[in-house]
Structure formats: C-alpha cells, structure tokens
Amino acid sequence: MIFSVVGPVGTPVHGQGAGLGGSLGREPTGVSYPSPAYYAALEVYRTAELDRAMDAFEIAISRTRRDANGHWIDAIPVFAMMAECQYRQGDLEGAMQSLDMVLKIAIRRARWLSRPVWAEVMKTPFQYSPKQYLWDEANAVNRLPLSRAIKFYSGEQITEARLAQGGTMEELNIKTVDVVEIMRGLAIASYRRRIILGPLAEADPLAVQALDSTKYPAGLDLPLARNLIGAMRAAERFGAMQDERAIADANSNTTFNQGVHPLSPITALCAASALAGTDKSPAAVGVCLAAANQAASMDQFEWIGESLQLAAGCADAKQAAVVQQAGRVAASKLLRQSRLAALHCLIAAADASVTAGDLQSATTLLAEAKSLSMRRDVLQPRLQAYGAYVAARLATRSSTTSNDNHPAAATPWSDAMSQMVGFATDSKMRKRNLISMPRLYQLQRVRLALGRDLDGQSADALLSLYTDDPTIDVWRRDPVDAISGCIADRDSLRLARLRTAAARESAQDVLLRIEDIQSGRVRHQLALGGRVMQTRSLARIPDELTDPKVVGFRNAAAKPIRDLRAAVVAAAGAGPAADPNLEQAKINRLEADAWSIALDRYDLPFVMPHELDSKQPTAELPGGVGLLAFFQDENLIHVVLCTKQKSTYWSIKGANRVGGEIAKVMRGIGASASRGMRLPEDDSWRSDAVALRDRLVMPGTGPLLEGRLAEIEQLVVIPDSLLWYLPFEILPIGDPDSALLGDSIKLSYAATPALAMYPTALAATNPVTALAAGPFFAPREMETNAAMIQSIVDSIAGGAVVRLPEQALISTSRSGELAGHLLIAQPTTPNPKSTLDSALASYESSLPNGRLRFWVGFPGVKPASVFLAGFRSHLDTGQTVLGSEIMLTIAALQYGGVRDVVLSRWAVGGQSTAILMREYVQELPFLGPVDALARAESVLRRSELSPLGEPTLTARDQDRETLTGDEPFFWSTYLHAAPIEKK
C-alpha cells in the first residue's frame, strides 16, 4: 500500500499490489515482476518480426508496475528490450530514450539490490537435459540452476516517525521478482548504450550514476549474489567506457564455480567488445565464441549472432575459418528456434568466410541469409545492411567485373553498397527520418553541443576524434557503422576547430584547420569518404614522396595490400596492353582489389595528401617562400601568411563585400560578360585592384613587398570561394601605377596547404606529350583552327606527341600510360551539379573512366603535368560562382598523381592561346611546367594580336587598331598549381 502524507496525518493511496497493513503482505498468487507479457514479447522478438515485437513490448511496458516515483524496477528489462527493437529498426534516438529510461529507473531505485532475498537465487542442484536444437559446445555449457523468481522486499515499515516525515511512502510488503532478469536488462542497456554513444560514453553522467547506484549492498556475503552483481557492474563499466575495469570484472564474474548464469553472455560480450578496441583484439574471438555458446545454452538467441559478428570483425584468416564453422552450425541448428539468431549467424559466417578466403562458402551462406531475410515474417533492416556489407566484400573479390563500356557502368558491388548506405543514411519510419548508425548519432550530438558545452583543449580533442575517420574498433564492432562515419559530412566540426584556432590567433593551427576542411571536402565527394582513394594512393605513391611510417606500414602490411602494391608497380612498368579491352580489364581488377581492401577492416594510414606536422606545419617551407591561405567562414575570411620564420593570422570582415570587389576587378580586365567592349580602354582597373589588395593583404609599413611580403621571393596562394577567380598576379605592389605582384615575385597556387608543400608525384620522365584539341582557336574557321593545332604539334620537341583520340582512343585519365604531359586545347566545362563528374575533353564523355573522378583511380601512372587551356570556371559559364570547381579539379588531378596543373579561369582561345601553348610545349621538356609557363606568358605579353583572331572578343573590341597579349584578360587567366620546389 502506498501512502501520500502531508504533515503528521497520512491518506492512503492504493497502488498496484496488495499490502496487509503492518503484517508484511505478499503479492497475490500468480503476480510476478516482470509480467508474463514481457517474456511473451521476448519470444516474439527472437522470431525476427520487429514490428510485432515492438507492439508486444509496448503492451509489456503498459503492464509494468508504477508508483508515485514512476516506473518500478520491473520496467528495466522491458525498456532495455524495447531499445533493442528500436536499435535493429534503425531508430537510435528512440533507442536512446528507452535506454536512458532504464538507467534513470536504476538510479532512482538506488537501494534495490539490498532488497532481494538473495539466498533463494540458487535452486537445488540438478542436471539440465541436453537440448535437441543445440550443438555440442552449447550443450556442454554448465548452467547454474538459478531461480527465476525470488522474494523481494518492497516498501518500508510504517512508523510514527516515518509518518511524521510526510511525503509518499509504500507499506512494506513482499513481491515475487525475477531479479536476475532485471539485472540482465540493466547490463543489456549498458552494453547497447555504449555501442550507440561510442567515445561519448566516457564519463557519461547517467552511466556513472548507474554505477554508483548499483554498488554491492553492505553486508552481502553470498558469493553467487556478489558474482551476479559483479557481472552486471562489468557491463555497466563497459557502458561508462571503463574498459580495463570492465574486462577485469568480466573475467572474475562471467562464471561462478565453472558454471554460467543468465548474465554471462552479455558480460562476456562487453569484455570482447572492450578487447576489440585494443591491440589484443584476436583474444576477443575466443571470448565471443564462448559468449555465443553461453547465450545458446540460456536460450538468449539474440546474442548469438551479435557475438559471432564481433568475432568475425576481430578474426584473422585462420580464426575466421573457426568463426565460419561456428556460425554455420549455429544457423542450421537454430532456424526453427529463432529466425533472428539464424539470420544473424548466417551473415556473420559469410563475413568470416570472406576473411578466410572461402568465397564459395560465403556465397552459399549469403544466399541462405538472403532467402531467410526475404520471408514475410522476418523484418531486420540492420541485419540486411550488414548482409549488404558482406555482399559488397564478396563482390569485390569476384573474378569478373563489369564489361559495360558506358562511363557510368555499375560495378558488381554497387547494388550492395547502395542498400547498405541507404539504411545508414536514409532510414525512415512512418515518413520520419531516422538516425540509424551510432557514428552518425554521435556526430549529431557533437554538432548540437557546439558552442554550448564544448570548450578548451578537451573540446578540441573530441572534435579531432570525430573529424577523423572512425577508428579500427568501430570497424571490428560494426563495419556498416564505420562506413557511415567515413561518408558522413563533418564540415561543421572541422569549422568549429578552425574557429577555436582563430580565436587564439594561432596562425599555424589555423593553417592546419584549413587543410583539414579543404582536404575533407574533397574526400567527402570520393568513394567511401576517400578511403578507396587512400588505398589506391597507398599502392601507387613512391616511397620518397610519403611519410616513412607509411612506407613501413606498406612493407609490413597484410598480403592483399602488398599484392596490390606489387600489381600497381608491375602495371606501371609494363606499359599499356595492345588490346584495349584487356587493359580495361586490368584496371577493373585493380579497382576491385582497392575496393576490397577499403571495405575490409584494415587500419589504413592517411596517405593522400601527405599529412602536415601537427606541431610545426610550416617546417618544410624553404627560405624565401611564403604561404598565403584564405578560408571564407560565412561573412568572415580567415587569412594566414606563413614563412619558415614567422606565421601571422588576420581576419577580413564583410566577405560578401569582398565578392563584389572581386567582380569589379574582373569586369575591369574583361573577365566577365559585357554588352559593350570586353577589354578596358584604360588602366582604371588598377585602382580597384589596389583597394582589393589592401582588403586581402593588409599592408604594413610601405609597399606590399616591404611590409607583409618582405623578403618573400616566392608566394603560394591558397584561395577559397570567389578568391579562386582572382589572378593575384595582377595586384599592384604599391600605388596603382606600380609593378604587378606577378612581375615582382614568383607566384603559384595550391588547392590545400598540404598540396603546396608535398608533391603527389615525381617529375616527368616520359618526354611524350598527349594532346586533345578541338575547334577552340578559330571555332568558325576549321582550316585556321587546324593550322594552329598543327603549329602546336610541330613545336613539341622531337615530335614526341600522341593525338587524342585520333591516335589513342582512351580517356584522359589513362593518358599517363602513353605520355608524361597532357594538354587539352578545347573547352572544359565543369559539371554544375558535380565537378568530379565532368569530362576534361569532349570526346571522352562516352568512354569508360571518362570523368574527372576517375583520375583518382587506376591506372597508377598519370601524366606528371596537365594543362587545361580551355577550362571554363563558373565565372565563365553563367553558373552560380563558387570557386570550388577550380579547387576540386586541381585537387582531384593531384590526388590522382599529377604533379603540375595549369588551367584557365576563363577560356580565351584564339591566337593568344595558340601562342602561349606553342611556347609552353616547346620549352616543357627542358624547363619543366613552372618555368615553361612563365616563359610562355612572357612571350604572349610581348606579342601583337589581331582582334579578329580572338573569338571571345566582342564586335566593338575588334575595332581596336592595336592589341597585345599584355592585356590581363589574355595572360592572367592561367593558374599554375604545383608543389613548392625544395632546394
């Protein structure tokens, strides 16, 4: 009986259950906690029908006991299993609400472990009969004979003193409670909550409070009771990310007198999952197999497959064969008892089969799993996503790949990847978007906490953890979760780190954060968030261009990684095959192998781009070289200027106004559409350029080269947003009539700081130049256009030229097989929806690998330099100006293995471009791209031009009597991106 008392007089309020006044009542016969509805729902859950199970647990929740403080402890296992349903459905927000309810009940009922009659927990010893549906190892498990229902003291003795205290009270009575199941429910909730929260579970307040509320009761000396509580607390410690204590407690309490109890499987699984995050992960395999057998012996079918999945994630090739066999046997035995367990075991066994190299068994097991998952009475979205992951792994190892010559042909693993990514990123329930993956849930929580609870170095460490790709323990526990973390957009977290560094005015930290954001944006648009690209780079990049730690990893790596490296090196040395179809088949095989490694659970190093030193990112800068990096953050532009000796940070407010000032300068030199004359009649644009220069590079004392850029001989500019359209070469160094910056110091560009400091390929050794040209120089006069193209061909030293596609019908991404340099003399218009899906040359749009994104793929050998003479940025196409199309083009080419990239911000064509290209190709083999372009621009600026020979000029421009290439419109469009030459 429950009393609500105010003052000295109490008014009884009858609650659930019966009391007999001060005579210590008992529950009516047949009433126990949890209710039979819970156990019925548990059976439904094990059938794999999630929708029915969720309805059944809803009913069970409605039948839990309530008092004035809310749900009683009998609701703990019900909410825990409701969370399991929600987790498998993909509703992590709902699951966390249920799990938080479990911990809050445990915290609110802090003394409940002292109330059971623990002496009743052990039954009279007896021998369990073997179960027909279990395998030998499971039947061999020694089960402790525990009572499912024991007496539990509820309420308190009502005395005059207690009445005087007032408040709500319950009269002392005895209930029949399945205490062990309630403890198991709390252990399950602690385990699942840790899986969902990941690193956020560390020092989580609820997890810590739950631990504090379930301490060993004072005076409890019954060993079995202490063992059960210790097993539960081991799971709670895992939930609070106290992994070392969790493993130690689990080792001590998973068994009792060589017997197992209902908490043993979940406790062992917690210990195995903790081991998965250490360098002792192979030891987790044996723990998982034991947990699977224990769960089977206890009829806890839901934990068998989960244990085997973790075992498959931690197993090497030899261990995987054992896991495969265990999963196969378990699935065949449990099909009639639990479709949930059978399905999960089949997928885990197939996963292990792939790791063991037994592809035939993997195919068979996966087919059985697919057949089972398609039954009407099976609904398991999360397991289907896991199955899709295994199917993708298997497909990458298939002996055949797509023979479709269409550039967008699907790979054999495309459908499986789509299914897996669809569950991870686009799960819905009743038209409500769900967060289905733990890593995405964690990212969302961190985003919501930005600017509120995150502060200082600990916040930066947390942000660093989530801006990086998932760690290896995530791959071992749930590879679908790891993949979702790889493909997730983490831009806002990287931006938060940049703002923190900017607030400290730490120039070098700002440079590091700019690198993180810009390279992260490129990787986000690549397969698996750049993980496939990292795998290719690991196989391709020469030892001398990468970190010694990466070289060491590659030399000692697993056999598939070493084999891919050897195949890429061999393919580069062999040259192209005579049969184009055979060559494409070789590329397809290399791609499949790269995907195979990327999908496997390898802890891959960060290879591309070369990582900056976290403490001294500018240590590699040579003397006399400056790095000027910009990043637009809403209406603010962050700027750093770094040399070897000094780094400076400043910010520019009013970024929107800067965009207008850039547009004004561009109009002034003719680099935007105009109804009148394109070219200016005077040099009034110089005054606008000075004003813009002083906004971007705040002057010190005296002219620019005596102030901010003092003692800098070479400047590398890393623009952002609309600044990509601005030729910094045309900025005057002093007053409007002074020399231009590009004439005073050596100037180049880079997509990111790392690409400025570290080359991604060696200098060209192949003197051959590949040329793709079209009606670009004289679009309306084919004979004149052909003559100009021929003049460029004739200028190439020794006639070492290959015409594309006339002499080689291959995509430009494969031109490195034939040539050390690539020139494209035709308009290159970026795809406005996806820059990486652009064709660099018009002819390749219908060819395999004929898009920019394939430059980061195989073959491993690429031309050392690429010149896109007709690149048309959005400044030139009428699309929304972003600047990212230039940045992505440069980064994709260099990530793929191009050293030097030259492109035009706006396409010019005509006689001026022909002059520049002739001079460029003539000197390219001797001077290299940097000096060859500088010389070509110098020649162009001294050349007389015919207005009629420039197709981009307007009719009014063609009335000019004199015209030279010194107009910035003709020469300043060309942007050269290359790594700094280190002396």
Side-chain angles (χ1 to χ4, degrees):
M1 183 175 290
I2 300 173
F3 291 87
S4 180
V5 181
V6 180
V9 179
T11 303
V13 179
H14 293 280
Q16 184 176 356
L20 299 177
S23 62
L24 195 62
R26 284 183 181 273
E27 291 295 322
T29 303
V31 176
S32 63
Y33 301 93
S35 71
Y38 163 71
Y39 297 99
L42 202 55
E43 292 303 314
V44 175
Y45 172 75
R46 290 164 177 164
T47 66
E49 294 183 78
L50 270 184
D51 46 1
R52 283 186 57 223
M54 292 180 75
D55 292 341
F57 282 118
E58 286 282 2
I59 295 171
I61 288 173
S62 70
R63 296 183 182 177
T64 57
R65 182 173 183 266
R66 285 175 175 267
D67 59 22
N69 293 318
H71 286 283
W72 194 54
I73 61 170
D74 70 321
I76 286 176
V78 191
F79 276 111
M81 293 311 301
M82 173 59 81
E84 287 297 296
C85 290
Q86 293 163 321
Y87 173 79
R88 291 186 180 275
Q89 179 70 37
D91 181 10
L92 295 195
E93 289 179 316
M96 281 300 295
Q97 291 174 10
S98 299
L99 295 171
D100 286 353
M101 179 67 77
V102 171
L103 269 62
K104 288 175 181 177
I105 293 172
I107 294 166
R108 207 161 49 231
R109 311 284 180 179
R111 296 177 54 216
W112 71 274
L113 284 174
S114 65
R115 312 308 297 273
V117 181
W118 286 109
E120 298 181 358
V121 75
M122 178 70 85
K123 291 181 182 178
T124 303
F126 63 93
Q127 186 69 38
Y128 286 102
S129 300
K131 299 177 181 178
Q132 296 282 332
Y133 53 85
L134 292 185
W135 52 100
D136 292 342
E137 292 83 356
N139 268 321
V141 171
N142 179 26
R143 295 174 56 194
L144 293 175
L146 301 187
S147 176
R148 204 166 108 163
I150 63 176
K151 297 186 187 70
F152 185 99
Y153 288 90
S154 179
E156 58 188 318
Q157 188 74 42
I158 306 302
T159 63
E160 289 186 8
R162 180 65 185 91
L163 287 171
Q165 291 178 8
T168 302
M169 64 192 73
E170 179 186 357
E171 184 182 20
L172 185 63
N173 60 88
I174 297 177
K175 295 176 170 49
T176 304
V177 178
D178 190 347
V179 173
V180 177
E181 183 65 16
I182 291 171
M183 295 170 69
R184 192 177 80 93
L186 184 51
I188 290 170
S190 298
Y191 166 77
R192 186 59 70 200
R193 205 165 176 277
R194 162 66 183 280
I195 294 299
I196 295 176
L197 285 180
L200 298 182
E202 186 172 13
D204 174 70
L206 273 182
V208 173
Q209 290 175 47
L211 258 173
D212 290 340
S213 70
T214 54
K215 294 179 179 178
Y216 294 96
L220 179 64
D221 58 0
L222 191 67
L224 175 57
R226 294 186 66 85
N227 183 276
L228 291 169
I229 296 173
M232 178 186 69
R233 287 178 60 80
E236 290 179 305
R237 290 195 183 282
F238 176 73
M241 210 169 170
Q242 300 176 12
D243 287 357
E244 289 187 8
R245 290 288 303 275
I247 294 171
D249 286 1
N251 289 339
S252 302
N253 297 289
T254 300
T255 61
F256 179 77
N257 289 341
Q258 298 183 343
V260 300
H261 46 71
L263 276 80
S264 296
I266 187 63
T267 304
L269 185 55
C270 288
S273 190
L275 283 169
T278 70
D279 56 1
K280 299 177 182 178
S281 60
V285 176
V287 180
C288 288
L289 293 175
N293 291 330
Q294 292 166 5
S297 71
M298 295 286 178
D299 287 347
Q300 297 177 15
F301 303 119
E302 60 272 21
W303 300 114
I304 302 171
E306 184 133 354
S307 298
L308 292 176
Q309 177 179 333
L310 182 58
C314 296
D316 57 26
K318 291 182 179 178
Q319 291 175 314
V322 178
V323 177
Q324 171 201 346
Q325 181 63 20
R328 184 196 296 272
V329 170
S332 63
K333 292 286 188 177
L334 296 175
L335 185 58
R336 293 182 180 274
Q337 301 300 317
S338 172
R339 292 188 294 273
L340 169 62
L343 176 60
H344 207 162
C345 289
L346 284 169
I347 299 172
D351 191 8
S353 297
V354 176
T355 302
D358 186 356
L359 303 187
Q360 184 175 356
S361 293
T363 303
T364 302
L365 290 164
L366 210 54
E368 293 177 20
K370 183 176 181 180
S371 176
L372 180 56
S373 68
M374 293 178 67
R375 289 177 50 166
R376 287 190 308 168
D377 52 5
V378 173
L379 176 64
Q380 289 291 323
R382 186 172 298 280
L383 290 187
Q384 289 176 336
Y386 176 38
Y389 163 76
V390 179
R393 286 189 75 199
L394 182 59
T396 60
R397 290 163 164 80
S398 62
S399 58
T400 58
T401 54
S402 174
N403 291 320
D404 192 337
N405 284 331
H406 190 274
T411 59
W413 53 89
S414 295
D415 289 343
M417 288 296 302
S418 296
Q419 181 181 350
M420 177 176 56
V421 172
F423 173 76
T425 63
D426 194 29
S427 289
K428 291 181 173 62
M429 185 169 64
R430 299 187 182 95
K431 298 183 179 180
R432 177 169 64 93
N433 291 326
L434 301 177
I435 300 178
S436 61
M437 302 311 301
R439 190 74 177 186
L440 301 184
Y441 179 81
Q442 296 157 30
L443 286 169
Q444 179 69 2
R445 286 187 66 146
V446 174
R447 288 191 194 101
L448 293 175
L450 289 177
R452 188 181 64 214
D453 297 327
L454 298 178
D455 188 26
Q457 292 184 347
S458 60
D460 192 66
L462 180 64
L463 289 172
S464 174
L465 177 64
Y466 282 102
T467 53
D468 290 339
D469 285 344
T471 49
I472 188 60
D473 58 308
V474 182
W475 280 94
R476 289 167 181 159
R477 292 183 184 119
D478 185 352
V480 181
D481 186 30
I483 289 171
S484 73
C486 289
I487 65 178
D489 185 355
R490 290 157 277 172
D491 205 57
S492 61
L493 305 188
R494 295 185 176 112
L495 182 57
R497 296 192 74 197
L498 170 62
R499 289 170 176 170
T500 301
R504 300 194 310 266
E505 295 191 355
S506 174
Q508 298 221 349
D509 282 350
V510 170
L511 187 72
L512 285 167
R513 303 291 80 82
I514 289 176
E515 170 64 32
D516 289 345
I517 294 175
Q518 299 290 35
S519 62
R521 287 177 175 176
V522 179
R523 297 196 307 273
H524 181 62
Q525 300 196 39
L526 300 175
L528 295 186
R531 186 171 165 90
V532 183
M533 181 267 291
Q534 297 291 358
T535 305
R536 299 185 190 111
S537 300
L538 184 63
R540 174 192 64 78
I541 196 163
D543 288 352
E544 53 266 46
L545 296 183
T546 191
D547 190 287
K549 293 181 180 178
V550 174
V551 177
F553 171 88
R554 183 165 61 190
N555 293 339
K559 187 175 184 298
I561 297 175
R562 289 184 282 111
D563 287 349
L564 180 61
R565 166 69 171 165
V568 170
V569 171
D579 184 351
N581 292 330
L582 181 60
E583 185 66 22
Q584 186 62 51
K586 286 168 55 180
I587 294 173
N588 290 346
R589 186 64 262 162
L590 291 175
E591 282 293 324
D593 290 342
W595 270 89
S596 172
I597 293 168
L599 285 172
D600 283 356
R601 300 171 176 93
Y602 291 114
D603 190 8
L604 299 175
F606 193 91
V607 183
M608 182 63 62
H610 193 297
E611 286 190 289
L612 299 178
D613 188 288
S614 60
K615 295 182 179 179
Q616 293 182 311
T618 57
E620 294 290 325
L621 279 177
V625 176
L627 208 62
L628 181 62
F630 298 86
F631 182 80
Q632 183 168 338
D633 176 6
E634 295 180 352
N635 203 29
L636 184 75
I637 299 177
H638 302 283
V639 192
V640 288
L641 176 61
C642 300
T643 63
K644 193 174 185 66
Q645 294 77 25
K646 182 180 179 182
S647 296
T648 309
Y649 166 82
W650 68 91
S651 61
I652 304 168
K653 297 180 180 178
N656 295 335
R657 296 196 301 274
V658 171
E661 293 175 34
I662 294 172
K664 188 176 182 181
V665 173
M666 293 295 94
R667 285 194 301 271
I669 65 172
S672 60
S674 173
R675 294 183 179 179
M677 297 178 64
R678 176 182 285 277
L679 299 179
E681 295 181 340
D682 53 38
D683 287 341
S684 59
W685 60 268
R686 283 175 166 262
S687 298
D688 297 329
V690 168
L692 177 58
R693 177 204 69 196
D694 290 344
R695 287 266 285 161
L696 299 177
V697 188
M698 293 184 294
T701 56
L704 186 62
L705 297 185
E706 297 174 13
R708 288 280 186 186
L709 303 185
E711 300 182 1
I712 291 179
E713 301 171 359
Q714 178 183 353
L715 182 66
V716 181
V717 181
I718 304 170
D720 185 45
S721 189
L722 303 186
L723 288 170
W724 276 108
Y725 303 124
L726 174 67
F728 280 74
E729 293 88 339
I730 67 173
L731 300 179
I733 62 172
D735 59 43
D737 295 325
S738 63
L740 302 182
L741 183 62
D743 295 332
S744 306
I745 61 174
K746 192 175 181 180
L747 197 147
S748 62
Y749 297 83
T752 75
L755 290 176
M757 285 188 273
Y758 297 100
T760 60
L762 298 172
T765 56
N766 187 344
V768 176
T769 298
L771 173 65
F776 176 55
F777 303 104
R780 298 179 182 85
E781 301 177 21
M782 292 298 100
E783 291 185 4
T784 303
N785 188 79
M788 289 184 174
I789 294 174
Q790 189 59 46
S791 70
I792 294 171
V793 172
D794 293 342
S795 298
I796 296 174
V801 60
V802 175
R803 296 290 302 275
L804 302 178
E806 292 88 348
Q807 293 175 289
L809 184 57
I810 58 173
S811 62
T812 58
S813 63
R814 289 180 52 187
S815 58
E817 300 170 10
L818 305 172
H821 308 281
L822 171 67
L823 277 70
I824 298 180
Q826 55 183 246
T828 299
T829 305
N831 186 321
K833 295 181 179 179
S834 173
T835 299
L836 295 182
D837 288 312
S838 310
L840 298 189
S842 58
Y843 79 88
E844 66 177 340
S845 59
S846 59
L847 293 180
N849 310 332
R851 289 176 288 169
L852 178 59
R853 69 171 61 255
F854 289 102
W855 278 82
V856 297
F858 291 119
V861 58
K862 298 292 192 299
S865 71
V866 172
F867 190 160
L868 305 178
F871 189 84
R872 301 181 65 202
S873 70
H874 293 336
L875 182 71
D876 196 29
T877 62
Q879 299 290 334
T880 302
V881 287
L882 300 171
S884 58
E885 71 279 9
I886 299 177
M887 183 268 189
L888 283 171
T889 299
I890 295 171
L893 291 172
Q894 292 187 327
Y895 281 9
V898 177
R899 185 182 179 93
D900 294 77
V901 178
V902 182
L903 55 77
S904 57
R905 297 175 178 87
W906 57 88
V908 178
Q911 181 185 5
S912 60
T913 301
I915 292 172
L916 183 128
M917 292 192 71
R918 278 199 303 270
E919 296 299 324
Y920 177 77
V921 298
Q922 182 175 311
E923 301 296 340
L924 185 58
F926 310 106
L927 301 180
V930 177
D931 293 332
L933 180 64
R935 185 181 185 283
E937 287 180 349
S938 176
V939 171
L940 171 61
R941 292 176 69 176
R942 297 195 306 269
S943 299
E944 295 286 338
L945 301 177
S946 168
L948 296 176
E950 300 300 327
T952 54
L953 299 185
T954 66
R956 291 183 59 185
D957 288 314
Q958 293 174 353
D959 293 335
R960 297 172 64 118
E961 295 183 0
T962 60
L963 181 66
T964 70
D966 198 39
E967 292 285 349
F969 171 76
F970 293 118
W971 65 268
S972 70
T973 180
Y974 301 104
L975 174 159
H976 180 216
I980 298 166
E981 294 289 344
K982 297 174 184 176
K983 301 174 183 178

